[in-house]
Amino acid sequence: MAIRSSIILGTGSYAPERILTNEELSQKIETSDEWIRSRSGIRERHIAAPGEATSDMAVQAGRRALADAGLTPEDIDLLVVATVTPDMTLPACACIIQHKLGVPTHAACFDLNAACSGFIYGLDTASAMIQSGRYKKALVIGVDKLSAIVDWNDRNTCVLFGDGAGAVVLGGSDQPDTGVLGAKLGAYGDSVNLLCVPAGGSSNPATAEAIAAGDLFMKMKGKEVFKLAVRAMDEAARDILEQHGFHSDQIALVIPHQANLRIIDAVASYLKLPMDRFVVNVDRYGNTSAASVPLALDEARKAGRIKPGDITLLVAFGAGLTYGSALIRW
Ligand SMILES: CC(C)(COP(=O)(O)OP(=O)(O)OC[C@H]1O[C@@H](n2cnc3c(N)ncnc32)[C@H](O)[C@@H]1OP(=O)(O)O)[C@@H](O)C(=O)NCCC(=O)NCCS
């Protein structure tokens, strides 16, 4: 039997202990705190400890979200993990997380790759499965360990990224018009080359030559990504508002993907919303990819920035290039 709404029962997040500051980076590569802050808004980022895998960060965030919801891993029958940095290419990171967290074997567990939009893709997918009535409680985790795939000698990319995890627990509700109201997902597949790891997949396997050429690291055309990101975020935000008949004024809080403060600024001015309606933590975490939106969401909730009845807009873009937006009524 179809359930009317998919609601958020709890949130949680995790960032590794180790903080890497701009100052420290500028001692290793030709960059400066001033350049990084003025171009991106980033001051520092968290970096996973040696031996700390994507699954370990996900487990921490997942446990916190479950505790917040007053549930245990045994309650979960759907585990969706959005990541581009799984522990291994095979099997799904979700299966490793399932085992470490103690989610039962009858739960459906799978990964989803939509890069930095991954959490919104996961939220929409899990919500539809909850609304169908076929799943009772879902754990959706956005997690990435980008420190494992950035070239620490490439100043164009390494200064922008960090590691972390964020999670939400979803459940069904008979109350209409509440929880995850809807989402708008899309992708510009013609822009794959703007942001990718060229080797290590089936088209260009991880040979010694590919490794030597640095092709197992992330490559990015920053300026082009920037322009497309602003356009995609603006369109995704407008589309979802229009679909649900909302004006941007009715949005209490926007939780944007934390890639660059200038991108968030541009989206705010396109939507004609003041910056104090936006959650910004890019200064402390950098771009944590799929973890970015759920980490910001969890921080905003814990800081008391989300009240019952509020409407929150999530919006993101990422490699692919993918984009996504979602509306939540609390
Ligand atoms: C990457 C980004 C911060 C660069 O900012 P920008 O204002 O576009 O800077 P530019 O590309 O014009 O680079 C300016 C100069 O700074 C240099 N530069 C690049 N990285 C640098 C660094 N870390 N420190 C110092 N100088 C740097 C460049 O080499 C360039 O020098 P040149 O003019 O002599 O060639 C910005 O384009 C961006 O954020 N893009 C989107 C990236 C993104 O969000 N990716 C994730 C998607 S999910």
Side-chain angles (χ1 to χ4, degrees), residues 140-175:
V140 183
I141 305 178
V143 57
D144 267 307
K145 182 181 162 180
L146 292 180
S147 64
I149 60 164
V150 297
D151 179 349
W152 288 101
N153 294 311
D154 176 12
R155 68 176 187 174
N156 291 297
T157 52
C158 76
V159 301
L160 300 174
F161 299 100
D163 301 334
V168 300
V169 179
L170 296 175
S173 165
D174 286 331
Q175 197 185 323

Side-chain angles (χ1 to χ4, degrees), residues 30-62:
E30 211 183 318
T31 189
S32 65
D33 175 53
E34 203 282 318
W35 192 94
I36 303 170
R37 266 193 300 116
S38 63
R39 303 294 172 115
S40 70
I42 299 165
R43 281 192 289 119
E44 58 192 33
R45 68 287 294 142
H46 292 246
I47 302 293
E52 186 173 30
T54 291
S55 61
D56 298 315
M57 297 192 290
V59 165
Q60 297 288 348

Side-chain angles (χ1 to χ4, degrees), residues 220-237:
M220 182 178 75
K221 297 194 172 109
K223 257 196 199 321
E224 286 93 326
V225 172
F226 191 103
K227 283 186 216 145
L228 201 46
V230 173
R231 196 178 106 201
M233 299 246 289
D234 177 47
E235 277 175 17

Side-chain angles (χ1 to χ4, degrees), residues 98 119 124 231 318:
Q98 173 200 27
F119 176 75
D124 192 33
R231 196 178 106 201

